[in-house]
Amino acid sequence: MIELPEAVTLARQMNEALAGKRIAAATIAEKRPKWMFLNLAPEEYDRRLAGVRVDGVTEDGKWIFTQLSNGEIFLLGEMFGRIRYYRSEEPPPKKHHMLVTFDDESRLSITIQMWGCAQVLTPQEIEDHPHAGRRGPSPIDRQFTPKRFQSILEAVGSRENKPIKAVLTHEGNISGIGNGYLQDILFRARLSPKRKAADIEQDEQQHLYRAIVETMTQAIDLAGRDTEPDLYGNPGRYVSILDKRATGEPCPECGTPIEKIQYLGGSCYLCPSCQI
């Protein structure tokens, strides 16, 4: 899944590759996943995008915002899938769910593997968007301070009796953390994904804050996880501490075998000794 470090990497590469180019055509495949979230009829994408120039590409959380010369925004995000760029001399991809062709015959392909958003929106529609418009602070934002993080935990803890996994992966609380990086964050903080946010003590909150910033900053510096490709198909260099490859392996801290559990709709990996 594209989380904050992957979104940062892709947005930087897209900005470098696409800024200043004009879109020649945009097509949506007839055969596409049920959960490819479009906001227009497939044929409308070409009408809205053809002839428009790309002015720049930015990210926020799990979302990528392509600013267009007509004032609209091409939004990609919350995506299990691949975003690839093909230069004019490279053959187009055989499989894709959306293909954007530029005036120099280079192409951007979007392939959705489970679900993902590909929408053309006005700035007001972005603000009103039920997901992209309700983002909490990103772990790399200046406003994401220890005090702000404490206030998030306290607000959610007093209002809702939710486990820390649900709190950290909710975009409205903190943007950019998905189930992938969550595993390393909670391991570094020595917390179980089942711990209630309201029960996390102040010193544990400080450890958790540092784990979030450390994990995300390191992953951004390494261009994302080694299981996620960048815009050119190259894998990132961040190797997760805990993922499916760690199941049954000794904990790097205490040697206890790492366990896999199913929790809140996804797999979690943890050390039953270190994470309480």
Side-chain angles (χ1 to χ4, degrees), residues 160-172:
E160 307 169 39
N161 191 30
K162 285 195 171 183
I164 192 61
K165 173 181 176 176
V167 174
L168 295 185
T169 57
H170 190 284
E171 284 282 282

Side-chain angles (χ1 to χ4, degrees), residues 214-249:
E214 176 186 347
T215 300
M216 291 312 218
T217 301
Q218 184 181 15
I220 289 170
D221 290 343
L222 294 173
R225 286 164 291 176
D226 66 340
T227 56
E228 295 290 335
D230 67 7
L231 194 65
Y232 302 97
N234 302 310
R237 302 186 306 281
Y238 179 87
V239 180
S240 298
I241 303 169
L242 297 186
D243 60 12
K244 64 182 181 181
R245 298 170 291 189
T247 305
E249 296 295 319

